[in-house]
Amino acid sequence: MASVLAIAFEVGGILTLNVLRMDMEYIIENGWSQVNQRTRNMFQIDFHCCGFTGPKEFAYRNDPIDDTCYEVFELASSVNGTGGERFLKQHGCGNKLRDWFQNNQSMWVALLAGIGLLQVLGCFCAIYVINTLKSHQRRMIDEMLDEPIRNGYPSNNS
Protein backbone atom coordinates (compact mmCIF):
# COMPACT_ATOMS: atom_id res chain seq x y z
CA MET A 1 0.00 0.00 0.00
CA ALA A 2 2.84 2.39 0.86
CA SER A 3 4.45 1.79 -2.53
CA VAL A 4 1.22 2.60 -4.33
CA LEU A 5 0.89 5.84 -2.36
CA ALA A 6 4.53 6.76 -3.06
CA ILE A 7 4.00 6.20 -6.79
CA ALA A 8 0.79 8.23 -6.69
CA PHE A 9 2.54 11.12 -4.96
CA GLU A 10 5.44 10.96 -7.41
CA VAL A 11 3.17 10.97 -10.46
CA GLY A 12 1.03 13.66 -8.85
CA GLY A 13 4.09 15.81 -8.21
CA ILE A 14 5.30 15.47 -11.79
CA LEU A 15 1.84 16.28 -13.16
CA THR A 16 1.51 19.26 -10.84
CA LEU A 17 4.86 20.65 -11.94
CA ASN A 18 4.00 20.21 -15.61
CA VAL A 19 0.38 21.37 -15.49
CA LEU A 20 0.86 24.34 -13.19
CA ARG A 21 4.30 25.20 -14.59
CA MET A 22 5.50 25.94 -11.08
CA ASP A 23 8.50 28.20 -10.93
CA MET A 24 11.72 26.33 -10.20
CA GLU A 25 12.90 29.25 -8.08
CA TYR A 26 9.91 28.78 -5.75
CA ILE A 27 10.55 25.05 -5.46
CA ILE A 28 14.24 25.54 -4.66
CA GLU A 29 13.53 28.32 -2.15
CA ASN A 30 10.86 26.23 -0.45
CA GLY A 31 13.25 23.27 -0.33
CA TRP A 32 15.99 25.48 1.14
CA SER A 33 13.67 26.62 3.93
CA GLN A 34 12.72 23.01 4.72
CA VAL A 35 16.20 21.50 5.08
CA ASN A 36 18.17 21.62 8.31
CA GLN A 37 21.24 23.78 8.92
CA ARG A 38 23.63 20.85 8.47
CA THR A 39 22.35 20.31 4.92
CA ARG A 40 22.54 24.02 4.19
CA ASN A 41 26.13 24.03 5.43
CA MET A 42 26.96 21.19 3.03
CA PHE A 43 25.62 23.24 0.10
CA GLN A 44 27.38 26.37 1.31
CA ILE A 45 30.70 24.52 1.33
CA ASP A 46 30.20 22.80 -2.03
CA PHE A 47 28.89 25.85 -3.89
CA HIS A 48 31.03 28.45 -2.08
CA CYS A 49 28.00 30.54 -1.10
CA CYS A 50 26.23 31.90 1.97
CA GLY A 51 22.51 31.64 2.67
CA PHE A 52 19.87 31.44 -0.03
CA THR A 53 20.06 35.05 -1.19
CA GLY A 54 23.43 35.92 0.34
CA PRO A 55 24.63 37.06 3.75
CA LYS A 56 22.12 39.91 3.83
CA GLU A 57 19.35 37.46 4.73
CA PHE A 58 20.98 37.01 8.15
CA ALA A 59 20.53 40.75 8.88
CA TYR A 60 16.77 40.26 9.35
CA ARG A 61 17.00 37.22 11.60
CA ASN A 62 18.66 36.36 14.86
CA ASP A 63 20.33 33.28 13.36
CA PRO A 64 24.10 33.35 13.60
CA ILE A 65 26.11 33.24 10.39
CA ASP A 66 27.64 29.80 10.18
CA ASP A 67 31.39 29.30 9.70
CA THR A 68 30.66 27.76 6.29
CA CYS A 69 29.76 31.28 5.08
CA TYR A 70 33.37 32.35 5.48
CA GLU A 71 36.39 31.77 3.28
CA VAL A 72 39.59 31.49 5.28
CA PHE A 73 42.78 32.65 3.61
CA GLU A 74 45.99 31.64 5.33
CA LEU A 75 48.48 34.42 5.83
CA ALA A 76 52.06 33.80 4.82
CA SER A 77 53.19 34.98 8.25
CA SER A 78 51.15 32.37 10.16
CA VAL A 79 53.49 29.75 11.55
CA ASN A 80 51.15 27.02 12.73
CA GLY A 81 48.15 27.70 10.52
CA THR A 82 46.11 29.40 13.23
CA GLY A 83 46.37 32.82 11.64
CA GLY A 84 44.16 33.47 8.70
CA GLU A 85 41.83 36.09 7.45
CA ARG A 86 38.13 35.29 7.16
CA PHE A 87 36.08 36.79 4.36
CA LEU A 88 32.30 36.53 4.19
CA LYS A 89 31.08 34.89 1.00
CA GLN A 90 28.85 37.39 -0.81
CA HIS A 91 26.96 35.12 -3.21
CA GLY A 92 23.79 33.28 -2.22
CA CYS A 93 23.17 29.61 -2.88
CA GLY A 94 19.76 30.08 -4.58
CA ASN A 95 21.06 30.95 -8.03
CA LYS A 96 23.79 28.34 -7.81
CA LEU A 97 21.27 25.64 -6.86
CA ARG A 98 18.96 26.68 -9.70
CA ASP A 99 21.88 26.56 -12.16
CA TRP A 100 22.92 23.13 -10.85
CA PHE A 101 19.39 21.75 -11.27
CA GLN A 102 19.13 23.14 -14.80
CA ASN A 103 22.58 21.87 -15.79
CA ASN A 104 21.91 18.40 -14.33
CA GLN A 105 18.25 18.14 -15.27
CA SER A 106 18.65 14.98 -17.33
CA MET A 107 20.44 13.25 -14.45
CA TRP A 108 17.85 13.95 -11.75
CA VAL A 109 14.91 13.30 -14.08
CA ALA A 110 16.45 9.93 -14.97
CA LEU A 111 17.05 9.26 -11.27
CA LEU A 112 13.43 10.03 -10.41
CA ALA A 113 12.22 7.90 -13.31
CA GLY A 114 14.46 5.04 -12.13
CA ILE A 115 13.10 5.29 -8.60
CA GLY A 116 9.55 5.33 -10.00
CA LEU A 117 10.30 2.26 -12.12
CA LEU A 118 11.69 0.41 -9.09
CA GLN A 119 8.54 1.25 -7.15
CA VAL A 120 6.31 -0.04 -9.96
CA LEU A 121 8.37 -3.23 -10.24
CA GLY A 122 8.13 -3.65 -6.46
CA CYS A 123 4.34 -3.39 -6.67
CA PHE A 124 4.18 -5.98 -9.44
CA CYS A 125 6.43 -8.35 -7.48
CA ALA A 126 4.30 -7.92 -4.36
CA ILE A 127 1.11 -8.62 -6.36
CA TYR A 128 2.71 -11.73 -7.90
CA VAL A 129 3.82 -13.07 -4.50
CA ILE A 130 0.39 -12.42 -2.96
CA ASN A 131 -1.39 -14.17 -5.84
CA THR A 132 1.01 -17.12 -5.69
CA LEU A 133 0.45 -17.51 -1.96
CA LYS A 134 -3.33 -17.31 -2.38
CA SER A 135 -3.21 -19.92 -5.16
CA HIS A 136 -1.07 -22.23 -3.03
CA GLN A 137 -3.41 -21.76 -0.07
CA ARG A 138 -6.47 -22.57 -2.25
CA ARG A 139 -4.78 -25.74 -3.56
CA MET A 140 -3.99 -26.90 -0.04
CA ILE A 141 -7.59 -26.32 1.07
CA ASP A 142 -8.97 -28.11 -2.02
CA GLU A 143 -6.68 -31.10 -1.39
CA MET A 144 -7.80 -31.28 2.22
CA LEU A 145 -11.48 -31.15 1.20
CA ASP A 146 -11.07 -33.81 -1.53
CA GLU A 147 -9.37 -36.30 0.81
CA PRO A 148 -11.80 -39.01 2.02
CA ILE A 149 -12.61 -39.01 5.70
CA ARG A 150 -12.60 -42.37 7.50
CA ASN A 151 -13.48 -42.77 11.13
CA GLY A 152 -13.69 -38.98 11.52
CA TYR A 153 -10.06 -38.40 10.45
CA PRO A 154 -8.43 -37.85 7.07
CA SER A 155 -6.67 -41.00 5.81
CA ASN A 156 -2.89 -41.14 5.51
CA ASN A 157 -2.57 -42.86 2.16
CA SER A 158 0.64 -41.15 1.14
Side-chain angles (χ1 to χ4, degrees):
M1 183 65 169
S3 295
V4 173
L5 286 175
I7 292 170
F9 284 129
E10 197 169 313
V11 169
I14 291 170
L15 289 175
T16 300
L17 288 175
N18 287 331
V19 170
L20 298 179
R21 301 277 185 221
M22 293 183 74
D23 186 22
M24 187 62 132
E25 186 72 27
Y26 170 78
I27 294 168
I28 293 172
E29 187 173 356
N30 189 34
W32 181 266
S33 67
Q34 298 295 320
V35 297
N36 61 21
Q37 187 61 46
R38 189 174 181 186
T39 304
R40 290 180 192 166
N41 292 345
M42 182 185 71
F43 283 114
Q44 290 174 161
I45 291 169
D46 289 345
F47 291 128
H48 302 287
C49 54
C50 181
F52 188 77
T53 59
K56 65 181 176 247
E57 75 182 55
F58 293 98
Y60 306 108
R61 300 188 315 215
N62 289 333
D63 296 340
I65 298 178
D66 194 80
D67 287 339
T68 58
C69 280
Y70 293 95
E71 287 284 346
V72 178
F73 294 100
E74 295 294 327
L75 299 175
S77 63
S78 64
V79 177
N80 58 5
T82 57
E85 204 153 340
R86 291 171 26 131
F87 293 98
L88 189 61
K89 299 173 187 173
Q90 296 300 311
H91 299 287
C93 297
N95 289 335
K96 293 185 178 199
L97 281 170
R98 188 192 66 228
D99 292 343
W100 183 88
F101 275 109
Q102 287 176 346
N103 293 337
N104 296 296
Q105 185 176 11
S106 60
M107 180 200 54
W108 60 265
V109 167
L111 180 68
L112 289 175
I115 291 171
L117 179 64
L118 285 174
Q119 290 174 340
V120 169
L121 288 175
C123 286
F124 284 138
C125 288
I127 291 169
Y128 174 76
V129 167
I130 289 170
N131 286 335
T132 302
L133 289 173
K134 280 183 180 179
S135 174
H136 180 70
Q137 185 179 22
R138 277 191 219 115
R139 255 186 281 128
M140 294 296 291
I141 291 172
D142 288 345
E143 287 176 6
M144 287 176 62
L145 292 176
D146 288 343
E147 193 172 305
I149 298 177
R150 293 189 185 120
N151 300 331
Y153 297 103
S155 64
N156 289 335
N157 295 339
S158 301

